[in-house]
Amino acid sequence: MAYKVKLVKSGYNVLTDNDPDHIVFSSDYDTLKYSTFGSTQLTVNYGDYYHSEPSGFFGSDIYYHRKVVEVTHGLGYVPFFVGYFEDYPSSGQDVQLPVYAADFLSFAALQCYADSNKLYFVYYAGLENTSSGSVTYDLKYRIFKNDLGL
Amino acid sequence: MIVFFNKTTGNIEGTIDGRVHTDDQLKMWIGDPAETDRLVINWEPVRYFNKAGELLDFEAPMDERYTADYEPQHLQKELWVLFDSHPRLLKDYEVFTGISGDYLLREKENI
């Protein structure tokens, strides 16, 4: 006889009900195994743009920016992860990445990805007439032990 | 909590949250290792209680200990208690080296 651990929601029969929607926990199914959570910051200095070109409209140039911040997890495999952008004080929410924004001439993207050693937060943007000043984005991350197999 | 900061400016570049850190977390790093250092704040038990909630002698046997109160092990433990419940407040602080060589926190100027 195989042994397992199984917990069902109130009102369901643990011996007969195998509907995953009725199960709180079952050793038949893998679960997310939380490992680490934390925060970091990404600061973009607009003077460090890597390319600029006329937008096509008089007096308007587009400046292209890219910045990467790294979190070394050192797990040796690509883990399940989630990244968040703290949208304060605008919406007051932690927004799950990726985040994209655009208007007629400008665009900006904030996303995250991982390899077997690091988690990367990447900002890239093409902004109208933005070649000075800076902005800092507050980021949060969650890394799980689960191997994505990527 | 583990705080990663720029060794030159003291600016905090990232954190790993939590009270007791695993080996996996202690192998992690945020930022350029050549430019950053870290401050590891572990919480350790300071009081033990039995199952009835009664305070035990600190040297009480393990099988009598049911739960514990934890505190951060750092000179500025009151600050770390605050950051444990309000981690966003850490953004107003920077790291500096105290007279005794310990890493300490102070509020940033011109926040």
Side-chain angles (χ1 to χ4, degrees):
Chain A
M1 181 174 80
Y3 291 93
K4 67 167 70 173
V5 178
K6 185 178 173 186
L7 187 66
V8 296
K9 297 177 182 177
S10 179
Y12 297 97
N13 187 326
V14 68
L15 296 175
T16 60
D17 201 323
N18 292 311
D19 184 343
D21 286 336
H22 301 160
I23 296 174
V24 174
F25 175 82
S26 170
S27 54
D28 285 340
Y29 305 109
D30 203 1
T31 58
L32 281 177
K33 300 165 187 64
Y34 159 80
S35 177
T36 305
F37 68 101
S39 63
T40 187
Q41 289 188 324
L42 186 150
T43 297
V44 183
N45 292 311
Y46 290 129
D48 294 336
Y49 61 89
Y50 65 88
H51 176 69
S52 69
E53 61 187 17
S55 70
F57 290 87
F58 180 75
S60 173
D61 291 322
I62 305 298
Y63 292 85
Y64 294 87
H65 312 272
R66 189 173 189 273
K67 181 65 185 288
V68 181
V69 167
E70 301 174 355
V71 175
T72 302
H73 60 75
L75 292 171
Y77 55 85
V78 181
F80 184 88
F81 65 92
V82 186
Y84 296 91
F85 147 61
E86 295 183 27
D87 191 21
Y88 289 89
S90 180
S91 71
Q93 301 294 321
D94 292 319
V95 180
Q96 187 168 340
L97 298 180
V99 170
Y100 303 102
D103 64 17
F104 180 57
L105 290 175
S106 303
F107 75 91
L110 190 55
Q111 55 186 217
C112 61
Y113 69 95
D115 63 20
S116 62
N117 191 40
K118 296 182 182 180
L119 180 66
Y120 303 86
F121 289 92
V122 182
Y123 169 90
Y124 60 94
L127 303 176
E128 183 191 8
N129 295 337
T130 307
S131 59
S132 63
S134 67
V135 65
T136 296
Y137 294 98
D138 294 315
L139 309 169
K140 289 179 180 173
Y141 62 88
R142 300 288 188 271
I143 300 173
F144 298 81
K145 287 286 278 186
N146 301 71
D147 185 346
L148 279 180
L150 300 177
Chain B
M1 180 179 279
I2 302 174
V3 172
F4 296 85
F5 59 93
N6 186 291
K7 287 187 283 193
T8 304
T9 66
N11 185 54
I12 294 172
E13 297 195 0
T15 68
I16 298 173
D17 297 348
R19 293 185 174 186
V20 179
H21 297 289
T22 64
D23 289 343
D24 281 345
Q25 292 171 344
L26 292 172
K27 284 189 278 187
M28 290 178 61
W29 202 272
I30 299 178
D32 184 345
E35 297 179 358
T36 55
D37 203 347
R38 69 180 182 181
L39 175 56
V40 181
I41 305 297
N42 272 322
W43 289 51
E44 293 182 4
V46 294
R47 281 176 295 277
Y48 292 108
F49 302 87
N50 62 17
K51 206 165 185 176
E54 297 164 338
L55 181 65
L56 293 171
D57 186 80
F58 196 74
E59 303 301 324
M62 288 287 282
D63 57 3
E64 292 182 24
R65 302 175 188 176
Y66 186 72
T67 188
D69 281 343
Y70 286 75
E71 287 184 0
Q73 302 303 299
H74 190 261
L75 290 172
Q76 297 170 300
K77 69 177 182 182
E78 295 80 11
L79 273 181
W80 295 106
V81 170
L82 177 67
F83 298 143
D84 186 63
S85 55
H86 300 86
R88 282 203 179 92
L89 294 177
L90 188 59
K91 283 183 272 188
D92 297 334
Y93 288 78
E94 61 186 11
V95 178
F96 73 102
T97 305
I99 296 171
S100 57
D102 294 328
Y103 286 136
L104 300 171
L105 293 175
R106 65 185 172 201
E107 283 194 74
K108 288 182 187 176
E109 295 178 3
N110 305 318
I111 295 172

